């Protein structure tokens, strides 16, 4: 998996959900999309990127969604 491509994709997902005025709902939406539509290998790589690179390049909302929903995103990975 190309981590840079995953960062770009995650940021595009976040751009859609950032229109949500409720921050908790926005973070739920981002994490929910990653859980439902990303292959476990993709989720594993974005979690690794968050840990090893401190989320470099990720929007703040993506980093926050990963932090808030790590257990859900890691399930089945």
């Amino acid at each position: 998996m190309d981590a840079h491509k995953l960062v770009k994709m995650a940021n595009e997902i976040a751009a859609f959900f950032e229109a949500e005025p409720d921050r908790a709902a926005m973070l739920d939406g981002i994490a929910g999309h990653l859980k439902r539509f990303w292959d476990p290998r993709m989720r594993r790589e974005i979690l690794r990127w968050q840990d090893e690179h401190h989320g470099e390049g990720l929007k703040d909302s993506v980093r926050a969604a990963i932090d808030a929903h790590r257990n859900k995103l890691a399930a089945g990975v």
Side-chain angles (χ1 to χ4, degrees):
M1 294 271 123
D2 179 6
H4 294 99
K5 183 172 180 158
L6 294 177
V7 166
K8 181 179 183 286
M9 291 169 56
N11 286 339
E12 290 170 352
I13 292 163
F16 174 81
F17 285 102
E18 285 173 348
E20 171 61 55
D22 181 324
R23 181 167 171 77
M26 174 188 64
L27 299 180
D28 287 345
I30 294 168
H33 184 95
L34 296 176
K35 178 66 177 174
R36 283 190 303 279
F37 298 108
W38 280 30
D39 180 276
R41 293 170 297 167
M42 295 167 74
R43 293 195 317 271
R44 183 172 39 250
E45 182 64 20
I46 205 72
L47 292 171
R48 184 195 65 75
W49 184 264
Q50 171 86 338
D51 294 342
E52 293 180 9
H53 299 277
H54 308 289
E56 179 183 333
L58 289 170
K59 288 178 163 251
D60 290 339
S61 57
V62 177
R63 289 195 309 269
I66 290 171
D67 289 342
H69 299 282
R70 177 171 283 275
N71 290 339
K72 177 167 74 170
L73 293 171
V77 174

